[in-house]
Each structure stands twice: as structure tokens, then as C-alpha cells.
Amino acid sequence: MLLNPRAALLFDIDGTLADTDPLHLAAFNRAFAPFGQVFDKARFARELQGLANVDIARNILPDLSPAEGMAVLDQKEAAFRALAASDIHPVPGLFALLDAADAAGLPMAAVTNAPRANAELILDGLGITHRFRALVIGAELAHGKPHPLPYLEGLRLLGARAEVSVAFEDSRTGIASATAAGLATIGMRTSLGDADLRAAGAVLTADSYADPALLAFIQSNVREKQAV
């Protein structure tokens, strides 16, 4: 297979590189308990997963000032980092896919709405920071996900083109961002099921990066094509 020189792989981090959603759920419940807010997995996926903290604070704690709401979310992130420091696990098949991408010279970026401290903790904890040529933090841009800007920025930093690249996401918000940037997006089934991910815009879904359909799709999408 001849690789298109403008092809790339772009990954969300939470729930996509690492199965961290259970840790986020625990941290959210700890932070929101004083406000009478309790989340189960379904409510987490519906109201929290993939959203920027500024949006979560506005939606869940509307009676607080923006500064007060963000202070609560800062406490949540500190709780998450404490939990994640000793409990980070990759999504199955991740390392083999990263090895194959590196061997093929296929550049990669991580694109997230998470705070930089969280993103760096997860990448370092998995030992994969060096794999990514770019780390895009939504809160450091004019718009985070679901706006396409984070993925457009990832493509820009890699010198890649959306039509020959692939994104990996686990949330509705993330899929909306990636697909709006023109990327074919594979939904990872760490929290949401096939139907929900496809309804959000995923072209296919997988439990593992070793899924033959996932690998075949990547190979098809990133190869050199006529008139690209």
C-alpha cells in the first residue's frame, strides 16, 4: 500500500486512547454530590461525556457564577487525576496500531477537550507521549468540541488533509467535531454502543483497535489515491 503523504490519524484521549470514563464518572459524582447531582453511566454519556468543562459548569450548575462553576470543575479534575495516577489502561489493541502507524510513517495527533494536565497525565501514563506530533487542547482554542476547530487545528499541525485521514472518538460531541472537520470518524465503544455512535456520525464502530474492519478502513482511507 502506498501511503498518501497528507494522511494522518487523529485520536481523542479520554475513552479513546485510555478507558478513563469510569474514573471521570467517579470524579464528577464526588464533585457534584454537594449540589445534589448524581450521575449514572447513561446520564454521564448524555450530559457530560466529551463536553468542555465551561459547558458542563453552565449546564449542570447554572445557579453558580462562571468562576464558581469552574472552581467546582477544577476540583473534579484534581479528583480525576488522583484516581488516574495509578489506574490508566489503554483501549485494547492501541499499542499495536500505534506501532503500525509509526512503522508506516503515518503521523498522529491527540485532540481533546480535557485540560492539558489531564491529557499529559494520560499520555505519560500510557507511555505514548512521543507517538504524537501534536497535542491539541480544546480549551486553548477559540472553540472546543463539538466545534470542528480542534480537529482542523490537528490537521493543520500535521500538514494533513481530512479526506485521507481518520479520527477516533468515543463521544457524540467528539464525533460531531471530527465529522464537521471533514474526517471519517471511527467510534470506539468504550461507553456508547454502535447505534448511538453511528447516529452521531461514526462511519463504523469497534471495541478494539485490533478489529479487522477498523484496520481495513484505515488502510483504505490513508492510501494514495488518484486525483487526491
Side-chain angles (χ1 to χ4, degrees), residues 10-28:
L10 298 93
F11 297 81
D12 175 50
I13 295 180
D14 283 295
T16 303
L17 294 176
D19 190 6
T20 52
D21 285 346
L23 304 182
H24 280 289
L25 176 58
F28 274 121

Side-chain angles (χ1 to χ4, degrees), residues 45-120:
R46 187 173 62 250
E47 300 181 27
L48 302 175
Q49 185 191 34
L51 290 177
N53 279 349
V54 64
D55 297 319
I56 293 172
R58 182 173 57 247
N59 295 341
I60 306 300
L61 304 172
D63 295 334
L64 299 185
S65 70
E68 290 169 336
M70 288 306 297
V72 174
L73 269 296
D74 287 345
Q75 294 171 9
K76 175 265 166 183
E77 299 302 354
F80 166 78
R81 288 191 291 272
L83 292 169
S86 60
D87 195 19
I88 298 177
H89 305 284
V91 172
L94 174 65
F95 295 148
L97 176 60
L98 299 184
D99 286 343
D102 281 342
L106 188 60
M108 294 178 283
V111 182
T112 182
N113 266 353
R116 181 170 288 275
N118 289 24
E120 292 177 346

Side-chain angles (χ1 to χ4, degrees), residues 188-228:
M188 303 307 296
R189 297 194 297 263
T190 50
S191 290
L192 297 176
D194 177 80
D196 286 332
L197 291 166
R198 288 183 183 272
V203 296
L204 62 90
T205 75
D207 290 316
S208 164
Y209 288 105
D211 186 309
L214 177 150
L215 296 173
F217 182 85
I218 295 171
Q219 291 178 354
S220 173
N221 216 65
V222 305
R223 71 175 184 267
E224 185 68 83
K225 304 180 180 75
Q226 292 292 329
V228 171

